[in-house]
């Protein structure tokens, strides 16, 4: 079998064969030796950047690492300066992999990986997808992602899709008419797996439910579905697994890093401890015990071109008490630190609280396809929703009663029925937005 995906990586200068061999060696490190191995890799990458990266040396203010927990937290605002000012000695913009974050946190920036680091990222992804018998050289992907709408960008992505054995469904218009077109592709193509943004795949799942169609009945080659970039709620997962007819796997990643956590076949959200070091920290940037909530901070152990050391990704989460150095488990991902509602009483509440409260109530009758919650003033919120009919007075009363119970009284809500919800340029749906 011609390994086109691997060949494409190789032709672009990414040494995938060596990266897979290196990754296998990491996997072979014994459990009892793994904590020491990680400590060595942490020290190695910090020492490299203190010696070879002026941007990082200036940030730390020293040339030697004395204590890991005293190293500065790197945030996205630190990185909003020209890339050439952040590259390590020996690397140029022509010799590295360059990309840009989506900006969903409000702080987009351009980042770089050296080609070896990017190759080991792919080795990590290939390994995890292999848990579900997905082979990037052979398996055909149904891709629910955004696509550039300018001509050059559009055809560039289509070419990449062709070389990567995937067919992309643009997700900016997900009306029933468009979703019917998506379904026709599943009837005529032998897809092996689905991958893409959670909200778009959930919409497709609800469309299948409305038609009472099980997707594997029309596309029996499907094995698994991977959802990414947005929260997957338990009730949505139930709908997807029933109407797609396949297991649904939750993925948590960041383009500037790697896959951060990936649901393993036992249903655990297994953290990537091979290429990354994940910490959960308190407000004083000190580690919290497993089982305690805190901000997620990540170190890329192999990227020499650009430092991502104690990098605050902007999410809040909890590591499971049963985590080990070699197999950390993400118990819960709560959402972005920036997605917090400030209330008149002074209380702070994660934006997803509103989403959880309203979700079950306004989706009970199956008419509401998706919605977002937006805070416009300290006491004022808007809910935009896509539905064939207006919300009933009973539904609105139930929402406001639940909000008063779980949050506080005297909050003002308005409800806007929409034909379609606005997504980011990449097609993500931001489920809570604060305009304060």
């Amino acid at each position: 079998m011609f390994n086109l995906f691997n060949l494409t990586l190789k032709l672009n200068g990414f040494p995938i064969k060596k990266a897979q061999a290196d990754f296998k060696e990491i996997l072979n490190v014994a459990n009892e030796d793994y904590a020491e191995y990680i400590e060595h890799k942490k020290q190695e990458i910090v020492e490299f950047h203190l010696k070879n990266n002026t941007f990082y040396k200036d940030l730390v203010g020293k040339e030697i690492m004395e204590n890991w927990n005293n190293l500065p937290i790197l945030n996205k605002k630190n990185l909003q300066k020209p890339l050439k000012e952040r590259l390590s000695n020996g690397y140029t913009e022509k010799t590295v992999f360059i990309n840009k974050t989506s900006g969903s946190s409000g702080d987009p920036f351009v980042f770089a990986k050296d080609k070896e680091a990017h190759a080991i990222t792919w080795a990590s992804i290939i390994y995890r997808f292999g848990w579900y018998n997905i082979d990037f050289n052979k398996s055909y992907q149904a891709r629910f992602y955004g696509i550039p709408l300018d001509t050059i960008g559009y055809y560039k992505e289509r070419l990449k899709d062709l070389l990567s054995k995937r067919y992309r469904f643009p997700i900016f218009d997900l009306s029933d008419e468009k979703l019917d077109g998506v379904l026709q592709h599943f009837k005529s193509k032998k897809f092996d797996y689905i991958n893409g943004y959670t909200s778009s795949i959930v919409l497709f799942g609800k469309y299948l439910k409305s038609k009472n169609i099980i997707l594997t009945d029309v596309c029996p080659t499907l094995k698994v579905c991977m959802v990414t970039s947005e929260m997957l709620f338990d009730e949505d997962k139930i709908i997807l697994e029933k109407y797609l007819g396949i297991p649904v796997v939750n993925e948590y990643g960041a383009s500037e890093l790697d896959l951060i956590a990936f649901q393993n076949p036992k249903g655990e959200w297994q953290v990537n401890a091979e290429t990354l070091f994940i910490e959960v920290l308190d407000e004083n940037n000190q580690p919290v015990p497993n089982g305690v909530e805190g901000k997620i901070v990540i170190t890329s152990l192999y990227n020499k071109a650009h430092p991502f050391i104690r990098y605050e990704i902007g999410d809040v989460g909890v590591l499971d008490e049963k985590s080990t150095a070699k197999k950390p488990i993400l118990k819960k991902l709560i959402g972005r630190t920036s997605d917090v509602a400030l209330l008149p009483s002074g209380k702070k509440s994660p934006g997803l609280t509103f989403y959880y409260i309203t979700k079950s109530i306004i989706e009970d009758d199956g008419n509401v396809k998706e919605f977002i919650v937006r805070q416009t003033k300290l006491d004022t919120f808007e809910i935009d929703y896509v539905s064939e009919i207006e919300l009933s007075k009973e539904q609105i009363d139930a929402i406001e009663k639940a909000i008063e119970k779980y949050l506080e009284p005297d909050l003002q809500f308005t409800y806007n029925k929409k034909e379609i919800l606005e997504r980011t340029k990449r097609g993500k749906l931001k489920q809570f937005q604060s305009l304060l």
Side-chain angles (χ1 to χ4, degrees):
M1 181 73 181
F2 186 52
N3 292 341
L4 185 59
F5 184 79
N6 281 17
L7 181 64
T8 304
L9 287 174
K10 186 180 175 183
L11 291 175
N12 280 295
F14 305 118
I16 187 62
K17 194 171 180 181
K18 181 181 184 303
Q20 286 181 297
D22 292 344
F23 192 82
K24 192 173 181 182
E25 281 187 23
I26 300 169
L27 292 174
N28 288 335
V29 176
N31 290 345
E32 60 271 23
D33 299 331
Y34 209 78
E36 186 181 341
Y37 171 79
I38 289 293
E39 286 304 310
H40 171 70
K41 296 308 294 183
K42 285 161 57 182
Q43 186 164 350
E44 195 176 75
I45 197 69
V46 171
E47 286 177 356
F48 178 87
H49 284 299
L50 286 176
K51 186 178 178 182
N52 296 285
N53 191 287
T54 306
F55 161 75
Y56 189 66
K57 190 163 54 178
D58 290 348
L59 188 72
V60 174
K62 295 178 183 175
E63 292 189 19
I64 3 171
M65 180 182 85
E66 293 168 354
N67 183 320
W68 177 268
N69 290 334
N70 290 338
L71 286 173
I73 301 301
L74 183 65
N75 61 45
K76 297 184 181 188
K77 287 199 165 89
N78 295 143
L79 300 170
Q80 288 179 315
K81 54 173 63 181
L83 178 62
K84 63 182 178 183
E85 294 177 20
R86 293 180 272 127
L87 287 176
S88 300
N89 297 338
Y91 295 96
T92 68
E93 292 176 61
K94 289 184 177 177
T95 63
V96 296
F97 169 77
I98 296 176
N99 206 344
K100 186 177 181 180
T101 63
S102 67
S104 58
S105 63
D107 299 308
F109 63 90
V110 174
F111 66 89
K113 291 182 185 179
D114 60 80
K115 295 200 170 182
E116 292 78 8
H118 191 57
I120 208 163
T121 291
W122 273 114
S124 158
I125 295 168
I126 289 165
Y127 167 70
R128 284 171 172 78
F129 274 62
W131 290 345
Y132 297 92
N133 297 315
I134 298 302
D135 180 340
F136 285 3
N137 288 297
K138 301 173 187 174
S139 304
Y140 193 22
Q141 178 191 142
R143 188 171 182 82
F144 286 76
Y145 267 70
I147 191 166
L149 298 178
D150 65 283
T151 306
I152 293 173
Y154 179 87
Y155 285 106
K156 187 178 176 184
E157 288 302 310
R158 285 294 189 197
L159 177 61
K160 281 164 66 177
D161 289 340
L162 182 67
L163 295 174
S164 303
K165 280 194 70 70
R166 61 198 188 204
Y167 183 85
R168 184 183 307 232
F169 299 111
I171 56 177
F172 299 109
D173 178 1
L174 291 170
S175 61
D176 281 3
E177 183 185 350
K178 293 288 184 184
L179 290 173
D180 184 61
V182 171
L183 179 60
Q184 298 314 311
H185 280 285
F186 278 94
K187 288 180 177 178
S188 62
K189 293 179 170 65
K190 292 183 177 180
F191 290 117
D192 292 287
Y193 67 114
I194 298 170
N195 190 9
Y197 292 152
T198 307
S199 61
S200 303
I201 297 171
V202 167
L203 260 187
F204 184 50
K206 289 178 179 175
Y207 167 80
L208 294 171
K209 180 183 177 185
S210 72
K211 301 291 184 185
N212 199 27
I213 293 170
I214 307 295
L215 193 59
T216 46
D217 287 346
V218 300
C219 186
T221 50
L222 278 174
K223 299 185 186 81
V224 66
C225 168
M226 283 82 172
V227 296
T228 190
S229 291
E230 301 156 339
M231 295 288 283
L232 174 65
F233 296 93
D234 291 342
E235 54 269 44
D236 287 337
K237 186 175 183 181
I238 290 166
I239 289 171
L240 286 181
E241 292 199 326
K242 180 174 180 182
Y243 288 96
L244 298 181
I246 49 178
V248 174
V249 173
N250 215 347
E251 173 189 302
Y252 171 41
S255 57
E256 64 269 38
L257 298 167
D258 195 336
L259 285 181
I260 299 167
F262 197 74
Q263 192 177 326
N264 66 27
K266 292 181 180 176
E268 301 164 318
W269 220 357
Q270 187 170 329
V271 170
N272 170 6
E274 289 82 30
T275 74
L276 305 175
F277 173 64
I278 282 80
E279 300 174 84
V280 179
L281 305 183
D282 63 18
E283 290 180 359
N284 298 314
N285 297 330
Q286 296 304 302
V288 300
N290 290 346
V292 175
E293 174 186 316
K295 60 185 180 183
I296 296 175
V297 170
I298 301 177
T299 297
S300 178
L301 298 171
Y302 291 91
N303 191 354
K304 291 182 176 178
H306 186 295
F308 283 104
I309 296 168
R310 303 198 93 201
Y311 166 60
E312 186 176 347
I313 194 164
D315 291 331
V316 176
V318 181
L319 285 175
D320 200 294
E321 293 86 341
K322 66 184 178 187
S323 296
T324 64
K326 188 161 188 178
K327 189 183 174 184
I329 303 295
L330 187 62
K331 188 175 187 177
K332 191 166 31 167
L333 184 64
I334 295 153
R336 293 207 167 271
T337 50
S338 57
D339 294 344
V340 173
L342 305 175
L343 304 179
S345 65
K347 182 178 179 179
K348 294 180 181 179
S349 185
L352 281 171
T353 307
F354 292 88
Y355 197 79
Y356 276 115
I357 290 168
T358 54
K359 183 176 176 63
S360 57
I361 297 166
I362 72 176
E363 291 195 340
D364 276 348
D365 61 1
N367 283 315
V368 177
K369 295 177 180 178
E370 57 181 357
F371 66 93
I372 56 173
V373 180
R374 183 169 55 250
Q375 183 173 18
T376 56
K377 296 179 184 174
L378 208 56
D379 66 344
T380 306
F381 298 82
E382 295 181 357
I383 295 179
D384 293 350
Y385 65 96
V386 176
S387 178
E388 291 174 12
I389 57 173
E390 299 273 352
L391 288 177
S392 67
K393 184 178 184 304
E394 289 74 20
Q395 285 173 306
I396 290 171
D397 288 346
I399 290 169
E400 295 184 354
K401 191 174 178 183
I403 285 167
E404 185 169 327
K405 179 181 176 183
Y406 289 101
L407 294 166
E408 62 186 57
D410 302 321
L411 298 177
Q412 308 300 312
F413 278 78
T414 56
Y415 304 85
N416 310 308
K417 180 176 169 295
K418 301 276 187 180
E419 292 294 318
I420 195 165
L421 294 183
E422 188 177 332
R423 285 173 152 77
T424 69
K425 286 181 181 177
R426 293 198 179 188
K428 291 184 186 181
L429 185 69
K430 200 160 165 49
Q431 290 158 329
F432 174 80
Q433 302 168 10
S434 174
L435 304 182
L436 297 187

